C-alpha cells in the first residue's frame, strides 16, 4: 500500500515538473510585429499629417490582422499617423500604446527583450525605421528596403530565448501601389 502511494506521489511530481518545463519552453520566444503607419495626407507643408481614408482603412486591417493575437504591448512613435494606425487595435485589445523614440532603436529593442520576453508586441514606425528595428532586434532584414508608397508590410521578428532571431515579411490590408 505504501509503495503504491509512493509511486502515485512520484507520478504526480513528474507530471507537475513536466508541465512546468513545457510551459517554460512554449513561452520562451518573443514575437515582435512591425508595421509602418497607414497612408498619410501628402499635402505640402504639413508637419504632422493625419491618415487619409486609405490609411484609416489600413488601421482597421491591422486591427483585423492582429486582433486575435495575444499582443502584450503596442509601441508607437509620437506622430498623429502612427497613433491613428494603432488606435483601432489598441481599443480592441484594451491597451494603451507606449510612445518610443525612433531615434533610439537599441533602447526599444532592449526594453522589449527585458520587459516582454516570451510575449508578442507591436511596433509601429516609419518606412525608414522599421527595418532598422528588425536589425536592432538581431535579425536580418527580410526585405532590402521599404518604398515610400509601401504601407502594407507586416514584418514579424521571432526572438528565441536562445539562438538567432529571424524575420519574415508579408503583406496585410489593401495592396500598396507599386
Amino acid at each position: 500500500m505504501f509503495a503504491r502511494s509512493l509511486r502515485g506521489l512520484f507520478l504526480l511530481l513528474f507530471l507537475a515538473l513536466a508541465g512546468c518545463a513545457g510551459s517554460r519552453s512554449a513561452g520562451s520566444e518573443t514575437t515582435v510585429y512591425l508595421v509602418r503607419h497607414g497612408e498619410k495626407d501628402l499635402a505640402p507643408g504639413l508637419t504632422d499629417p493625419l491618415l487619409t481614408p486609405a490609411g484609416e482603412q489600413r488601421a482597421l486591417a491591422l486591427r483585423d490582422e492582429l486582433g486575435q493575437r495575444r499582443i502584450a504591448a503596442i509601441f508607437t512613435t509620437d506622430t498623429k499617423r502612427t497613433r491613428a494606425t494603432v488606435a483601432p487595435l489598441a481599443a480592441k485589445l484594451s491597451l494603451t500604446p507606449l510612445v518610443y523614440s525612433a531615434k533610439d532603436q537599441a533602447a526599444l529593442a532592449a526594453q522589449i527583450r527585458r520587459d516582454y520576453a516570451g510575449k508578442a508586441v507591436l511596433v509601429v514606425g516609419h518606412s525608414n525605421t522599421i527595418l532598422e528595428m528588425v536589425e536592432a532586434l538581431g535579425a536580418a532584414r527580410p526585405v532590402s528596403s521599404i518604398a515610400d508608397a509601401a504601407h502594407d508590410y507586416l514584418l514579424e521578428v521571432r526572438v528565441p530565448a536562445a539562438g538567432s532571431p529571424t524575420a519574415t515579411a508579408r503583406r496585410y490590408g489593401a495592396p500598396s501601389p507599386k
Side-chain angles (χ1 to χ4, degrees), residues 3-80:
R4 195 176 332 154
S5 296
L6 192 56
R7 269 187 274 147
L9 181 62
F10 280 123
L11 178 61
L12 284 173
L13 181 60
F14 173 77
L15 291 174
L17 290 174
C20 289
S23 66
R24 190 176 327 126
S25 64
S28 64
E29 184 173 75
T30 304
T31 303
V32 182
Y33 299 101
L34 298 115
V35 297
R36 179 184 180 199
H37 58 77
E39 291 82 342
K40 66 181 179 179
D41 186 343
L42 297 174
L46 297 176
T47 57
D48 191 7
L50 298 171
L51 294 179
T52 64
E56 292 169 359
Q57 287 301 308
R58 185 155 318 277
L60 295 173
L62 182 63
R63 177 201 61 200
D64 295 345
E65 185 75 27
L66 297 180
Q68 299 305 314
R69 310 282 168 97
R70 292 180 179 239
I71 305 288
I74 297 173
F75 294 92
T76 179
T77 61
D78 194 18
T79 63
K80 292 175 184 173

Side-chain angles (χ1 to χ4, degrees), residues 101-114:
S101 170
K103 295 178 182 177
D104 196 355
Q105 304 286 344
L108 179 58
Q111 180 181 4
I112 290 169
R113 287 177 181 272
R114 180 187 65 241

Side-chain angles (χ1 to χ4, degrees), residues 87-105:
L89 178 63
K92 179 173 183 163
L93 299 176
S94 298
L95 291 173
T96 300
L98 305 168
V99 175
Y100 74 97
S101 170
K103 295 178 182 177
D104 196 355
Q105 304 286 344

Side-chain angles (χ1 to χ4, degrees), residues 119-140:
K119 298 178 181 175
V121 301
L122 169 65
V123 176
V124 181
H126 306 271
S127 63
N128 63 344
T129 65
I130 62 173
L131 289 173
E132 287 78 4
M133 188 65 205
V134 168
E135 292 174 331
L137 289 164

